[in-house]
RNA sequence: CGGGAUGUAGCGUAGUCCGGUCAUCGCGCCUGGUUUGGGACCAGGAGGUCGCAAGUUCGAAUCUUGCCAUCCCGACCA
């Protein structure tokens, strides 16, 4: 609550940081610009991954994994690409440490210098297209529709938790096609997938657009993106999909023989979303009480808080809580029973609000007598009393309503924003 | 990478200008008891290289220099 976090009006940036850290999503680490994603934050990311991964697979893609390291020479094969990334690359120059002869600790062993330096991938086009050369000979090998879940490193000067970190998690799709038309179609299709994901799962209305020439991805012919409006009136680029033309095929000499027997370079796309989506999620829905999560991405959708005085009451309300949990789970709702006896109910109420749990159920002795519970929704902070037997259907409905309300609310906010187009 | 600010216990802070029992207070943490429908109360207790490193000085949280980190504004970027 305001006891813990700044308000948006006071200091928007501080409010954002407070939510990330106080809701236990992530923290800065000992490594400059790199964050520790904590279990609760990672659970949200896993939810996003699951939903996206399914959408990728439903559109014909498969997952694979390519190396973290890229030979330096690869990066320079596509001129615009290296131009774009050169300034923010971490470079591996040695492969061994040794004890410092003069004192404590270890030093880099000068004898263990790599013949060719390795770049920690800022993105994987080069290593992937170098590999595709071996995989693609014929039009029969196309299209090649591959996605990778990975971490990448971009040595950013100014970092912010989730929004811009030196290392971040993402997925990168890399597809190869026989024709330009097909590749453009893929680029547009994946942008649609991202837009659909943002609106349906994250409850974030997005605007689809195309980047201008100098905003384009380094090495792309055309860059499409989805942008979302944050509560401070700034737009956040939430996902990009690139039509790469034949740039990388030419750089890595990836040709295929068509039905007509003629050779041609392969057409390419790449597309990605990152842990920055977490930042978008946080900034779009949260309020001065803390995080607000859309039910479809909440690690648990419902929390049950037992209220009791004696040990005997504790047993009774917990038993009731357990059976409610079971009934809700049967209805496909994820539930956590907060049966910690080390914290008071009021403390738990505030904590779960701070962490954005969509629905809270409070159950106490009074409820046991009446066959009711008190439920509270996080988005509006409204409470009502429900009969226990109605819970599965009513809560399922309520969760849908919250999901919808968050979207509508975000859309309204966007429309009310003055046209101050600033970007993160 | 340019401009500005900050760094004292897990968190938030007092003290820094005017060097000298100054390491303050709150939250949190631990123990015991009473509590439990919106962040409980009482009593006791633990916890600190004052960001790091040099320097000035009889003496440095306090002054000087360098470094590191974080935050804000900008440029750049997913």
């Amino acid at each position: 609550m305001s006891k813990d976090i700044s308000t948006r009006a006071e200091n928007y940036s501080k409010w954002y940081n407070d939510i990330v850290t106080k809701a236990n999503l992530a923290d800065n680490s000992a490594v400059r610009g790199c964050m520790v994603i904590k279990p609760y934050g990672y659970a949200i990311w896993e939810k996003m991954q699951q939903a996206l991964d399914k959408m990728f697979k439903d559109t014909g893609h498969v997952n694979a994994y390519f190396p973290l390291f890229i030979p330096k020479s690869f990066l320079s094969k596509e001129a615009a690409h290296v131009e774009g990334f050169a300034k923010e690359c971490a470079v591996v120059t040695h492969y061994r440490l040794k004890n410092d002869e003069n004192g404590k600790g270890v030093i880099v062993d000068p004898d263990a210098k790599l013949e060719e330096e390795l770049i920690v991938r800022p993105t994987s086009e080069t290593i992937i297209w170098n590999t595709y050369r071996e995989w693609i000979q014929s039009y029969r090998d196309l299209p090649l529709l591959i996605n990778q879940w990975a971490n990448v490193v971009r040595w950013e000067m100014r970092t912010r938790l989730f929004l811009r970190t030196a290392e971040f998690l993402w997925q990168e799709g890399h597809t190869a096609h026989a024709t330009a038309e097909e590749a453009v179609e893929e680029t547009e299709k994946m942008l649609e997938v991202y837009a659909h994901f943002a609106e349906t799962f994250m409850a974030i209305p997005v605007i689809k657009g195309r980047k201008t020439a100098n905003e384009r991805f380094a090495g792309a012919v055309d860059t499409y993106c989805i942008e979302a409006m944050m509560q401070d009136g700034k737009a956040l680029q939430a996902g990009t999909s690139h039509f790469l033309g034949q740039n990388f095929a030419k750089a890595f000499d990836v040709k295929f023989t068509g039905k007509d027997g003629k050779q041609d370079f392969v057409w390419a796309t790449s597309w990605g979303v990152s842990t920055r989506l977490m930042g978008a999620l946080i900034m779009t829905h949260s309020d001065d009480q803390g995080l607000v999560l859309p039910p479809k991405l909440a690690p648990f959708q419902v929390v049950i808080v037992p209220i009791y005085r004696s040990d005997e009451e504790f047993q009774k309300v917990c038993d009731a809580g357990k059976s409610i949990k079971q009934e809700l789970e049967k209805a496909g709702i994820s539930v956590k029973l907060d049966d910690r006896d080390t914290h008071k109910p009021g403390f738990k109420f505030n904590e779960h609000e701070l962490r954005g749990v969509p629905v809270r159920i409070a159950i106490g002795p009074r409820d046991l007598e009446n066959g009711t519970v008190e439920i509270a929704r996080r988005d509006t902070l409204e409470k009502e009393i429900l009969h226990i037997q109605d819970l599965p259907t009513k809560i399922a409905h309520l969760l849908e309503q919250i999901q919808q309300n968050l979207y509508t609310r975000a859309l309204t906010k966007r429309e009310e924003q003055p046209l101050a187009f600033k970007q993160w």
Side-chain angles (χ1 to χ4, degrees):
Chain A
M1 252 218 261
S2 49
K3 184 176 164 188
D4 284 321
I5 65 181
S6 311
T7 63
R8 287 161 288 185
E10 262 167 28
N11 187 336
Y12 188 82
S13 294
K14 192 162 192 299
W15 167 78
Y16 173 80
N17 282 328
D18 282 349
I19 290 189
V20 172
T21 54
K22 303 272 167 61
N24 265 316
L25 304 177
D27 258 323
N28 281 308
S29 71
V31 182
R32 184 199 137 86
C34 296
M35 63 179 168
V36 174
I37 305 176
K38 298 170 87 172
Y40 192 63
Y42 200 80
I44 298 168
W45 176 241
E46 283 180 318
K47 287 267 176 189
M48 290 188 181
Q49 281 185 302
Q50 283 161 16
L52 282 165
D53 201 65
K54 181 170 190 312
M55 293 168 93
F56 299 155
K57 285 172 179 161
D58 287 348
T59 45
H61 303 83
V62 290
N63 286 330
Y65 188 79
F66 296 85
L68 170 66
F69 302 117
I70 297 174
K72 190 180 73 179
S73 57
F74 280 21
L75 214 64
S76 53
K77 287 193 179 175
E78 213 289 328
H81 190 67
V82 68
E83 168 89 11
F85 286 104
K87 278 175 243 152
E88 49 187 32
C89 286
V91 184
V92 180
T93 55
H94 293 73
Y95 58 86
R96 195 165 60 210
L97 300 172
K98 65 174 189 179
N99 286 321
D100 184 1
E101 287 159 14
N102 303 325
K104 317 165 203 170
V106 288
I107 58 166
V108 175
D109 186 343
D111 294 334
K113 195 169 188 309
L114 289 172
E115 215 162 280
E116 179 177 2
E117 292 95 334
L118 297 172
I119 311 302
V120 181
R121 63 180 167 217
T123 180
S124 302
E125 275 77 7
T126 57
I127 186 91
I128 285 177
W129 278 87
N130 187 67
T131 310
Y132 281 1
R133 184 177 56 245
E134 294 163 23
W135 292 1
I136 299 168
Q137 276 90 39
S138 154
Y139 73 92
R140 293 189 181 93
D141 298 324
L142 297 172
L144 189 53
L145 305 174
I146 289 180
N147 176 64
Q148 155 166 278
W149 288 98
N151 57 339
V152 289
V153 168
R154 295 181 189 176
W155 214 263
E156 299 289 349
M157 289 298 107
R158 189 182 171 193
T159 59
R160 304 203 64 204
L161 293 168
F162 288 120
L163 294 172
R164 191 188 300 101
T165 46
E167 178 194 15
F168 55 92
L169 306 184
W170 77 345
Q171 60 67 219
E172 46 182 327
H174 295 274
T175 67
H177 305 266
T179 65
E181 295 70 40
E182 197 186 303
V184 169
E185 194 184 311
E186 166 80 4
T187 311
E188 288 170 354
K189 182 199 285 175
M190 297 322 287
L191 191 76
E192 283 302 323
V193 165
Y194 288 154
H196 182 70
F197 172 75
E199 304 202 326
T200 311
F201 286 85
M202 300 177 71
I204 299 178
V206 293
I207 293 170
K208 287 172 277 192
R210 274 163 117 160
K211 290 294 193 184
T212 59
N214 51 5
E215 287 175 328
R216 249 174 233 149
F217 175 75
V221 172
D222 206 352
T223 288
Y224 299 65
C225 61
I226 53 169
E227 304 259 352
M229 179 66 80
M230 301 297 105
Q231 292 186 54
D232 61 350
K234 292 185 186 175
L236 180 76
Q237 182 177 306
T240 48
S241 185
H242 317 289
F243 170 57
L244 302 174
Q246 293 174 309
N247 291 349
F248 284 90
K250 284 177 178 165
F252 289 89
D253 194 31
V254 186
K255 291 182 201 159
F256 74 104
T257 309
K259 269 186 186 169
D260 54 7
K262 286 184 189 155
Q263 281 212 325
D264 193 10
F265 288 108
V266 175
W267 298 86
T269 82
S270 70
W271 28 272
V273 293
S274 70
T275 35
R276 173 181 275 185
L277 289 179
M278 292 285 294
L281 189 71
I282 295 157
M283 285 203 292
T284 301
H285 303 303
S286 301
D287 58 24
D288 293 343
Q289 267 65 247
L291 187 64
V292 177
L293 289 172
K296 287 190 179 175
L297 295 176
F300 41 94
Q301 298 167 312
V302 174
V303 63
I304 301 174
V305 178
I307 291 153
Y308 57 93
R309 287 166 201 278
S310 62
D311 286 352
E312 191 192 349
E313 277 180 357
F314 179 68
Q315 271 311 321
K316 279 185 182 164
V317 290
C318 277
D319 287 348
K322 276 177 201 159
S323 87
I324 290 170
K325 179 168 151 61
Q326 276 177 6
E327 290 305 310
L328 290 177
E329 282 170 347
K330 276 187 210 160
I333 298 164
S334 56
V335 184
K336 176 176 169 141
L337 174 64
D338 187 355
D339 58 0
R340 290 175 295 176
D341 61 1
T342 50
H343 295 277
K344 292 183 54 168
F347 179 91
K348 294 178 182 178
F349 290 176
N350 282 285
E351 188 182 56
H352 293 119
E353 268 165 23
L354 175 59
R355 302 182 86 183
V357 182
V359 174
R360 179 186 73 233
I361 297 178
I363 178 163
R366 202 193 298 154
D367 295 301
L368 290 183
E369 281 174 32
N370 302 334
T372 59
V373 294
E374 180 196 82
I375 68 159
R377 51 189 283 184
R378 177 63 184 87
D379 60 338
T380 60
L381 299 170
E382 290 164 347
K383 295 180 199 174
E384 63 179 310
I385 304 293
L386 290 184
H387 285 283
I388 287 177
Q389 69 271 19
D390 298 339
L391 286 177
T393 48
K394 291 221 167 160
I395 295 220
H397 182 244
L398 179 61
L399 289 170
E400 279 170 34
Q401 230 181 306
I402 292 171
Q403 183 82 27
Q404 182 58 43
N405 178 50
L406 288 177
Y407 178 84
T408 312
R409 204 163 75 172
L411 188 62
T412 309
K413 273 186 209 150
R414 185 180 83 188
E415 282 163 357
E416 286 168 355
Q417 284 286 354
L419 288 175
F421 270 88
K422 287 194 80 180
Q423 287 192 356
W424 277 99

